[in-house]
């Protein structure tokens, strides 16, 4: 998985795809994560590498392009794909009474995070995916936000409020940081799941 910032102008994606292909990468899927006011966009690109091709060669090929910046590159689960917000919403509506538990399951896929967990003000941890820390405290937040977690400089965290007594937290080991657009999407999906569960 490659997260890259590039100019938001015609032809930029074509040049990026060509550079990736010449370096031995094959684009499996692409998602526009954020469009910025400075004329740039941030995209997540899911790649399959040709035998013998190295991820470093893809990074070098991308950064050789004018105004292209590789924010992050990491392994992604074999056979994985991008799980889009619409797919998450469809999943949540299939069983409304389970929407909040399903939310925990779909958030790591939707946001390319390593884990997700529900944290209750009184009872602590609720539903969690594999790898979620088991000692996250409840945090008062009004809207989706980046979270600072004491004694963890390796991971990045974001959380959103389910209701006055419960939040959901997602995390990535090693980054990249959660962008403002991702926080907005997280807040929207959490609010939607809470609404579905109430109806």
């Amino acid at each position: 998985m490659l997260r890259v910032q590039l100019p938001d102008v015609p032809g930029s994606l074509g040049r990026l795809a060509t550079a990736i292909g010449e370096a031995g990468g094959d684009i499996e899927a692409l998602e526009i994560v954020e469009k910025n006011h400075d004329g740039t966009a941030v995209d997540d690109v899911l790649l399959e590498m040709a035998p013998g091709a190295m991820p470093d060669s893809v990074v070098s090929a991308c950064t050789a392009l004018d105004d292209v910046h590789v924010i992050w590159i990491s392994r992604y689960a074999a056979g994985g794909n991008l799980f889009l917000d619409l797919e998450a919403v469809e999943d949540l509506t299939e069983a409304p009474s389970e929407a909040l538990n399903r939310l925990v399951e779909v958030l790591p896929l939707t946001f390319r995070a390593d884990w997700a967990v529900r944290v209750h003000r009184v009872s602590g941890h609720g539903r969690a995916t594999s790898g979620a820390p088991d000692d996250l405290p409840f945090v008062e937040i009004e809207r989706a936000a980046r979270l600072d977690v004491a004694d963890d400089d390796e991971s990045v965290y974001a959380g959103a409020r389910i209701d006055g007594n419960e939040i959901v937290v997602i995390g990535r080991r090693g980054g990249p940081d959660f962008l403002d657009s991702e926080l907005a999407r997280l807040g929207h999906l959490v609010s939607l799941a809470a609404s579905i569960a109430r109806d």
Side-chain angles (χ1 to χ4, degrees), residues 149-184:
V149 174
D151 301 324
D152 187 352
D153 296 330
E154 294 180 8
S155 298
V156 294
Y157 298 82
R161 177 179 163 161
I162 294 173
D163 58 31
N165 291 312
E166 193 171 23
I167 61 173
V168 64
V169 181
I170 59 176
R172 292 176 178 148
R173 291 180 198 90
D177 288 332
F178 289 99
L179 301 174
D180 290 343
S181 62
E182 291 179 297
L183 295 177

Side-chain angles (χ1 to χ4, degrees), residues 103-142:
L103 174 72
V104 172
E105 303 299 323
V106 302
L107 285 179
L109 299 170
T110 308
F111 291 93
R112 268 79 69 204
D114 292 303
W115 51 263
V117 61
R118 289 170 61 183
V119 182
H120 191 273
R121 177 188 302 273
V122 176
S123 57
H125 276 218
R127 183 66 162 252
T129 61
S130 173
D134 53 11
D135 58 353
L136 284 176
F138 177 85
V139 179
E140 292 283 357
I141 49 177
E142 289 300 315

